[in-house]
Amino acid sequence: MFPLQRGRRLRVNESIRSLVRETTLSPSDFMFPMFIAEGENYKVEISSMPGIYRRSIDLTVEEIKELFALGIRAVNIYVKVDESLKDNMGKEAWNADGLMQKAIKSIKAACPEMIVMPDVALDPYSIYGHDGIIENGDVANDITNEALVKMAVSHAQAGADFVAPSDMMDGRVLRLREGLDAAGFHNVGIMSYSAKYASAFYGPFRDALDSAPREADVVVPKDKKTYQMDYANRIEAIKEALSDVEEGADMVMVKPGIAYLDIVREVKNAVNVPVTVFHVSGEYAMIKAAAERGWLDHDKIMMEQLMCIKRAGASLISTYFAKEAAILLHNNK
């Protein structure tokens, strides 16, 4: 009670503020999403994501070594699949000699302690750009799950530490856990995209992989709203996260990040596993664009958003800012 209690006493200077700070960030809080392409010595910047590149495997491995040296301990990897390899079934997704499988092997050979979490969804492999197999004008849930199991097992065989299903099919976590266990991969974890919303914030990501839904010669859903969540819903996110934990998820994810911090806290309060938050491509691109125009201070906004995500309950933040933030944290020691 004022004047006995004065909150400003704990804000007098940075030393005091640091003593009582409730939330802190370190490079080990970050996971870096990476885009991998065919070829050698190949590196192309994604126009809508300044500073983020598609890299060939050899250059990806070099970047992985730099990330590990900075204290980043996890990467979430995606592949840019050649159009000639795409079909409705996504069969290239479980090709033992496919780009994803070769990338996992190369990363683990070069940096065994880096935790590799490959994306599990069919959209990079689908001729229609959807996360599953099209049947009768919609994404068929159960047959898609069968394909996802093949995909996840192939990732485990290549050396993945976790698989990261982002497809939002019903029951896929249970099917993945059963499939991995049956193949002898009891220690390969599942980081489930449990509360993945049908968000407009994903636009730059789809540029990176050319994975947006597209026109087709058959009837297909025009968007992903029949499987990704309605952004008006809150209770549904809790239900999905709890369901995934019951089915065997070792971690759950909320995606996107900043616009969904209320969901992050709700999920954190409801589950007893680590919560990952994906600070997505659109959120990244907005900061980059505003900073380029001088409207915002890039580093201050970057660190504030990451801190807010951590404060909301994130155990791990998948963010395109991971490397920049880790460098800044090192420089400010």
Side-chain angles (χ1 to χ4, degrees):
M1 183 176 173
F2 181 84
L4 300 179
Q5 294 289 336
R6 291 178 180 265
R8 289 182 60 187
R9 292 187 192 120
L10 300 180
R11 306 176 201 141
V12 168
N13 56 49
E14 177 57 23
S15 293
I16 293 175
R17 292 191 295 271
S18 67
L19 286 176
V20 299
R21 189 161 289 140
E22 299 172 30
T23 308
T24 59
L25 284 172
S26 75
S28 61
D29 290 322
F30 306 139
M31 175 164 62
F32 192 38
M34 302 186 75
F35 302 113
I36 302 171
E38 292 283 4
E40 189 172 344
N41 197 32
Y42 175 85
K43 178 181 176 181
V44 173
E45 188 174 43
I46 298 159
S47 60
S48 54
M49 300 176 69
I52 301 299
Y53 299 85
R54 296 190 199 102
R55 293 179 174 87
S56 52
I57 291 175
D58 55 330
L59 297 187
T60 298
V61 166
E62 293 306 308
E63 182 74 355
I64 291 285
K65 293 176 182 177
E66 291 186 28
L67 296 170
F68 195 83
L70 287 167
I72 294 168
R73 294 292 179 261
V75 291
N76 191 197
I77 59 175
Y78 304 83
V79 292
K80 174 71 169 67
V81 179
D82 188 273
E83 288 294 321
S84 66
L85 299 174
K86 296 182 180 183
D87 59 23
N88 184 33
M89 302 301 291
K91 292 189 293 293
E92 179 64 16
W94 55 90
N95 177 2
D97 295 316
L99 179 59
M100 178 68 87
Q101 290 75 5
K102 289 189 292 187
I104 295 167
K105 291 175 184 176
S106 296
I107 293 169
K108 293 302 291 185
C111 191
E113 294 181 67
M114 180 66 84
I115 302 302
V116 179
M117 301 191 188
D119 180 60
V120 175
L122 295 184
D123 50 327
Y125 303 89
S126 168
I127 197 171
Y128 303 124
H130 275 285
D131 288 36
I133 296 166
I134 300 297
E135 276 191 349
N136 302 318
D138 197 8
V139 175
N141 193 93
D142 295 1
I143 191 172
T144 293
N145 282 343
E146 293 175 14
L148 297 176
V149 170
K150 296 176 186 177
M151 185 179 186
V153 169
S154 78
H155 293 173
Q157 290 169 337
D161 301 281
F162 282 75
V163 294
S166 64
D167 56 285
M168 289 298 287
M169 297 298 109
D170 292 335
R172 91 276 205 207
V173 173
L174 177 60
R175 293 292 173 255
L176 290 176
R177 187 70 271 158
E178 292 173 339
L180 289 166
D181 287 355
F185 295 108
H186 303 88
N187 289 329
V188 172
I190 298 174
M191 183 193 70
S192 175
Y193 289 57
S194 297
K196 181 179 180 180
Y197 285 86
S199 171
F201 283 104
Y202 305 150
F205 174 93
R206 291 173 182 167
D207 291 343
L209 293 185
D210 190 24
S211 61
R214 60 188 69 181
E215 296 293 327
D217 54 357
V218 299
V219 176
V220 299
K222 65 179 181 179
D223 53 38
K224 301 190 177 187
K225 292 181 179 179
T226 68
Y227 44 101
Q228 294 178 358
M229 286 176 46
D230 184 342
Y231 57 73
N233 293 354
R234 176 182 62 86
I235 295 172
E236 183 183 11
I238 302 168
K239 182 182 76 171
E240 289 284 354
L242 288 171
S243 176
D244 284 357
V245 173
E246 289 175 358
E247 291 181 16
D250 301 283
M251 291 189 256
V252 296
M253 177 184 276
V254 176
K255 181 181 181 182
I258 285 295
Y260 294 79
L261 294 185
D262 60 322
I263 306 302
V264 175
R265 174 44 58 184
E266 293 270 15
V267 170
K268 180 71 171 182
N269 290 343
V271 303
N272 58 1
V273 300
V275 176
T276 304
V277 176
F278 204 140
H279 192 216
V280 300
S281 59
E283 295 170 312
Y284 174 89
M286 288 193 300
I287 292 175
K288 289 293 183 183
E292 284 176 2
R293 288 160 176 76
W295 296 343
L296 295 174
D297 184 306
H298 177 278
D299 289 354
K300 289 180 179 178
I301 291 293
M302 171 180 73
M303 298 309 291
E304 181 177 343
Q305 289 205 358
L306 293 172
M307 186 71 80
C308 290
I309 293 170
K310 178 83 178 289
R311 188 195 64 216
S315 303
L316 181 65
I317 305 169
S318 184
T319 176
Y320 299 98
F321 287 117
K323 187 176 182 180
E324 290 177 275
I327 291 171
L328 196 61
L329 289 168
H330 274 280
N331 291 342
N332 289 340
K333 280 185 177 178

